[in-house]
Amino acid sequence: MYKQMQERYSKTTASMQHSFIREILKVTKGVPGMISFAGGLPSPESFPKILLAELFSKVIKQEGDDVLQYGASDGDLVFKHIIKDFEEVPYLSDDEIMITVGSTNGIYYFTRALIDPGDVIICEAPGFPGSLAAMESCGARVVGVEMDEYGMLPDGLRETIKALMKKDEQVKFVYLIPEFQNPSGRTMNCDRRRDIIKIAVEFDLPILEDQPYRELRFEGDRISTLWELARTEFNDPTLVTIAKSFSKILGPGLRLGFAAGPPEIITPMVKWAQKSTVSPDCVTQRVSARFIEQGHMQRQIQNIIDLYRPRRDAMIKALKTHMPESVRWTNPQGGMFIWVTFDEAVDTDDLFELAVKHKVAFIPGSKFYPKENIKKNELRLNFSYADPELIEEGISRLANLL
Amino acid sequence: MYKQMQERYSKTTASMQHSFIREILKVTKGVPGMISFAGGLPSPESFPKILLAELFSKVIKQEGDDVLQYGASDGDLVFKHIIKDFEEVPYLSDDEIMITVGSTNGIYYFTRALIDPGDVIICEAPGFPGSLAAMESCGARVVGVEMDEYGMLPDGLRETIKALMKKDEQVKFVYLIPEFQNPSGRTMNCDRRRDIIKIAVEFDLPILEDQPYRELRFEGDRISTLWELARTEFNDPTLVTIAKSFSKILGPGLRLGFAAGPPEIITPMVKWAQKSTVSPDCVTQRVSARFIEQGHMQRQIQNIIDLYRPRRDAMIKALKTHMPESVRWTNPQGGMFIWVTFDEAVDTDDLFELAVKHKVAFIPGSKFYPKENIKKNELRLNFSYADPELIEEGISRLANLL
């Protein structure tokens, strides 16, 4: 007679998918001898513990009355101003930037601001499942567009938009990770970014640009973000909203990121923050502000680059040494991931089962695709977490299974 | 031809109400000479700065590799276990408790787990607008039930449920702050709690029990929570989910709370956390864990009680001294708020305008009611923030305006 709790769930809750990646991480975590390229974790060696320990102590002693108190939902004003300086965007007004509880939080609020159940978001295929899950939890239908080595294909984007509009689908925005993309490691060059912006303007579609890895560039010239290009070359300060993260440059446990965009987007995002978290952690915000203000961030970023570049090099070298000739992989200029493509005959879901038995792990490519158009002959390798010697050994183990 | 950004908003975003309380706090903040009883802020004098400064430094140095890394969406297991000990509920399984980014965050996830747009939540009238706004953002219709000095009226609850069910409304749960309620300061006695539970059982409705002020009891015996009563006296471990906060006992800037309930509720709440914040701040969680583990929390709570009790006493004394005989107020045994009721002729929205000119502030009672049944002759006073001398002066100013 009484209802089961599950019968009470909201529709979005009842339809939530299980996270396969979390299952995979559980299977591989803590297994003795396991070499895991599966997670997307920064190396603990990169955490600036001594500096942070000092700063937390100092900030609480000196500014504790302020930062232990309730703070603004759009974030600590001190932190916002220091971020504007650090990002070299001093002209931004305070209502064009908000601090978020990590960048996924910004992506969630952006989606909440715009998406009604059934609305469509266009993303890269393959794309980042964490973001796609956040979007789908708001009832969005996520549609993928194929990529080449420079990211999302402009023709693919145009055709996808046209086909959706023809079916009267409410396409709400385009979501992209243009640099060292998760999972593919690919980076959009400047021309591709312009092409994508032109299409967004043509079809009057906002862009959400996710940039968690931008600072982790090991070589090559820095490329303007879509957010910058839209403002400068297209004279359009409302088209692109950018989400950034401190997870990859300071420590993901601190849960800090920020979003910058037009006030018409940031304002409703802040309203969602009020209702959901009230504000990010105020102590952590101020500590991060002082960390940047005191000039530690540039050195910190360089330290991470010096740590990760040899790991990427070791992985690329090991792939060259051990993989059969038919196998291809991306050669990212930064970030944390390499994308490997096998013959069509290879099924990386099967390969994963085998690999775990041989104590090497990765994420099968199928986990990164929206429900349609899943490809099975790809996989993601993370190179930021394991030591170079383990990277060599792990890739060798993997190649032996093919 | 191009859409305005506002035209792109999701329905829930477009319908979000402005927060009148935030406007009021803006008007009163930083005004020289203003005595404000408006905010709901803990006193900064209560913040254990020295201990926290030491612990943050120590935890990051000793446990930084762990706590600066990504953490579990249900919260730090170390923290969860220490909370179970502190709350004397060691029998709880790990999937019956989750850490949240403050208790509003838990209320938001609970609502997300159960509410489809149009569903009804029953709450106290007056109730806490922060929670009501979080619920309304999920599309809930919030219906208030009148209170007497012991909180929500059982007959009112029963009649409200019956009336709603008769109209085929989807009533999803009952939301209560049974102790030192915000805004009224009222506390449900044990019999009232049992009566409410009986009605919830009768109509098969889950209860969300919000307990942010429970530890701030200045006198009188501790009363079992509805969560405890349901488990022990009613043998029902699934009926009640409880949300608690560290904001009032440690510092709201840390944004920590927790929720405990049946796994069938906590599990989907954790899924929402994954999509929205990934996890609470891991450093802050571990620091709070060590703070409790090292035995500081009991003394910390006693310090706050010793700080707030004289402030409540000063406010009650000032009300007795200065207010006309027709005015009534609650006499809370703890918490942070007193609720004042005037003759029906008094409109506290008008009184607020006048009061601000005379440099004293409060929140008009109308701001605490769901849209229906707004009462205008009440107001909320906060006693935790101002010094006792300022409390005397502020109440005197207010009484002079009547």
Side-chain angles (χ1 to χ4, degrees), chain A residues 9-10 108 112 264 281 284, chain B residues 9-10 108 112 264 281 284:
Chain A
Y9 287 173
S10 63
Y108 177 78
R112 278 274 166 234
E264 307 93 283
D281 188 315
T284 305
Chain B
Y9 288 172
S10 63
Y108 177 78
R112 278 273 166 236
E264 308 93 284
D281 188 315
T284 305

Side-chain angles (χ1 to χ4, degrees), chain A residues 65-284:
Chain A
D65 284 355
D66 187 13
V67 297
L68 288 163
Q69 192 54 276
Y70 281 106
S73 295
D74 59 332
D76 180 24
L77 204 57
V78 173
F79 191 31
K80 283 169 67 163
H81 288 182
I82 285 169
I83 288 174
K84 285 198 270 180
D85 283 347
F86 181 75
E87 295 279 332
E88 298 176 358
V89 289
Y91 49 82
L92 277 194
S93 69
D94 290 341
D95 59 359
E96 289 177 298
I97 179 170
M98 73 179 287
I99 312 298
T100 55
V101 182
S103 65
T104 297
N105 191 230
I107 290 158
Y108 177 78
Y109 293 146
F110 185 91
T111 305
R112 278 274 166 234
L114 298 185
I115 290 292
D116 286 312
D119 289 350
V120 175
I121 300 167
I122 298 179
C123 70
E124 296 140 331
F128 172 50
S131 295
L132 308 194
M135 292 166 180
E136 285 172 345
S137 77
C138 301
R141 192 158 84 78
V142 179
V143 175
V145 171
E146 273 202 79
M147 307 170 80
D148 66 9
E149 63 173 309
Y150 298 116
M152 185 183 274
L153 288 164
D155 287 348
L157 175 59
R158 180 179 277 108
E159 292 315 309
T160 302
I161 296 171
K162 278 187 181 171
L164 287 163
M165 286 184 166
K166 210 169 171 180
K167 287 191 282 179
D168 242 3
E169 302 257 22
Q170 289 298 313
V171 185
K172 278 295 184 77
F173 64 88
V174 179
Y175 168 76
L176 297 160
I177 306 180
E179 231 152 309
F180 320 130
Q181 195 236 14
N182 182 358
S184 73
R186 291 167 185 142
T187 294
M188 279 189 168
N189 61 16
C190 209
D191 282 344
R192 178 65 58 87
R193 294 179 193 213
R194 289 189 186 101
D195 289 345
I196 296 291
I197 290 172
K198 278 178 201 158
I199 295 168
V201 170
E202 181 186 337
F203 291 98
D204 190 25
L205 283 180
I207 293 173
L208 176 57
E209 178 178 20
D210 190 6
Q211 279 279 17
Y213 313 106
R214 180 167 167 76
E215 315 312 325
L216 304 185
R217 173 174 283 283
F218 311 153
E219 67 238 347
D221 291 335
R222 209 169 153 93
I223 305 168
S224 293
T225 61
L226 283 83
W227 184 83
E228 287 163 339
L229 288 172
R231 290 180 82 98
T232 54
E233 295 189 7
F234 293 80
N235 196 26
D236 189 339
T238 67
L239 185 76
V240 183
T241 297
I242 189 168
K244 292 194 77 175
S245 173
F246 291 94
S247 292
K248 311 305 186 285
I249 53 175
L250 208 49
L254 300 172
R255 308 305 313 128
L256 284 182
F258 68 92
E264 307 93 283
I265 285 287
I266 299 298
T267 302
M269 287 175 68
V270 171
K271 284 188 184 175
W272 278 106
Q274 278 172 18
K275 272 93 189 162
S276 166
T277 62
V278 180
S279 84
D281 188 315
C282 303
V283 176
T284 305

Side-chain angles (χ1 to χ4, degrees), chain A residues 1-3 5-14 16-19 22 40-45 47-50 52-54 56-58 60-61 63-73 101-102 104-106 108-109 111-116 119 130 133-135 137-138 170-172 200-206 238-239 245 247-248 250-255 262-265 267-268 271-272 274-284 385, chain B residues 1-3 5-14 16-19 22 40-45 47-50 52-54 56-58 60-61 63-73 101-102 104-106 108-109 111-116 119 130 133-135 137-138 170-172 200-206 238-239 245 247-248 250-255 262-265 267-268 271-272 274-284 385:
Chain A
M1 179 188 150
Y2 287 108
K3 273 188 198 164
M5 200 57 83
Q6 285 78 353
E7 297 173 54
R8 304 177 199 273
Y9 287 173
S10 63
K11 289 191 186 77
T12 43
T13 298
M16 265 187 191
Q17 301 292 316
H18 212 64
S19 167
R22 283 186 175 256
L41 303 184
S43 169
E45 292 169 57
F47 301 151
K49 288 186 284 186
I50 303 301
L52 285 176
E54 271 171 32
F56 266 104
S57 172
K58 201 168 165 185
I60 288 180
K61 277 183 200 152
E63 309 181 75
D65 284 355
D66 187 13
V67 297
L68 288 163
Q69 192 54 276
Y70 281 106
S73 295
V101 182
T104 297
N105 191 230
Y108 177 78
Y109 293 146
T111 305
R112 278 274 166 234
L114 298 185
I115 290 292
D116 286 312
D119 289 350
M135 292 166 180
S137 77
C138 301
Q170 289 298 313
V171 185
K172 278 295 184 77
V201 170
E202 181 186 337
F203 291 98
D204 190 25
L205 283 180
T238 67
L239 185 76
S245 173
S247 292
K248 311 305 186 285
L250 208 49
L254 300 172
R255 308 305 313 128
E264 307 93 283
I265 285 287
T267 302
K271 284 188 184 175
W272 278 106
Q274 278 172 18
K275 272 93 189 162
S276 166
T277 62
V278 180
S279 84
D281 188 315
C282 303
V283 176
T284 305
Y385 194 73
Chain B
M1 180 187 151
Y2 287 109
K3 273 189 198 164
M5 200 58 83
Q6 286 78 356
E7 297 172 55
R8 304 178 199 271
Y9 288 172
S10 63
K11 289 190 186 76
T12 43
T13 298
M16 266 188 189
Q17 301 292 316
H18 212 65
S19 167
R22 283 187 175 256
L41 303 184
S43 169
E45 292 168 59
F47 301 151
K49 288 185 286 186
I50 303 301
L52 285 176
E54 271 171 30
F56 266 104
S57 172
K58 201 169 165 184
I60 288 181
K61 277 183 201 151
E63 309 181 75
D65 284 356
D66 186 12
V67 297
L68 288 164
Q69 192 55 277
Y70 281 106
S73 295
V101 182
T104 297
N105 191 230
Y108 177 78
Y109 293 146
T111 306
R112 278 273 166 236
L114 298 185
I115 291 291
D116 286 312
D119 288 351
M135 293 165 179
S137 77
C138 301
Q170 289 297 315
V171 185
K172 278 296 182 77
V201 171
E202 181 185 338
F203 291 98
D204 191 23
L205 283 180
T238 67
L239 185 76
S245 173
S247 292
K248 311 304 187 285
L250 208 49
L254 301 172
R255 308 306 311 127
E264 308 93 284
I265 284 288
T267 303
K271 284 189 184 175
W272 277 105
Q274 277 171 19
K275 272 93 188 162
S276 166
T277 62
V278 180
S279 85
D281 188 315
C282 304
V283 176
T284 305
Y385 194 72

Side-chain angles (χ1 to χ4, degrees), chain B residues 188-203:
Chain B
M188 279 189 167
N189 61 16
C190 208
D191 282 344
R192 178 64 59 87
R193 295 178 193 214
R194 290 190 185 100
D195 289 344
I196 296 292
I197 290 172
K198 279 177 200 157
I199 296 169
V201 171
E202 181 185 338
F203 291 98

